[in-house]
Amino acid sequence: IMQGIMAAGSELIDDEETRGMAMQALGIGSSIGVALPFSRVHESEADEIGLFLMAEAGYDPRVAIDVWIRMDEAQEADVPEFLSTHPAPSSRIDEFRRMMPEALELYRTSEAARRRGE
């Protein structure tokens, strides 16, 4: 869809230099405005699925928060989240905390927890 819009826009501009600048601007805008947020949504969905799978498998989901705290501390460069394909560690930590009550319930009722006698 983005390529179609860019192709149509390209046909509307006669001046070659203006067309080149417009296509660069559209390319950057579509990356920042559409592609990167879409990638972050996929990463967030993967985090959620992973958290619930680990809880159902009998692994303590609270460990996920500890992992991302360490990842945040180890991160050398702070790239603004809107320029990244991944959520920032701090955003992931916030989301894990939001999902934790449900994940802990899955953990407590998992088959592994029943085998451990919890």
Side-chain angles (χ1 to χ4, degrees), residues 72-94:
D72 195 22
E73 291 168 352
Q75 189 173 5
E76 292 184 20
D78 278 338
V79 175
E81 189 172 42
F82 75 93
L83 292 177
S84 176
T85 57
H86 293 69
S90 60
S91 294
R92 285 181 149 151
I93 292 164
D94 291 343

Side-chain angles (χ1 to χ4, degrees), residues 21 30 32 37 47 57-59 107:
M21 289 189 304
S30 66
I32 292 173
D47 286 346
Y59 294 95
Y107 175 63

Side-chain angles (χ1 to χ4, degrees), residues 65-76 89 92-93:
I65 293 173
D66 296 335
V67 167
W68 283 103
I69 288 171
R70 288 193 303 276
M71 291 288 284
D72 195 22
E73 291 168 352
Q75 189 173 5
E76 292 184 20
R92 285 181 149 151
I93 292 164

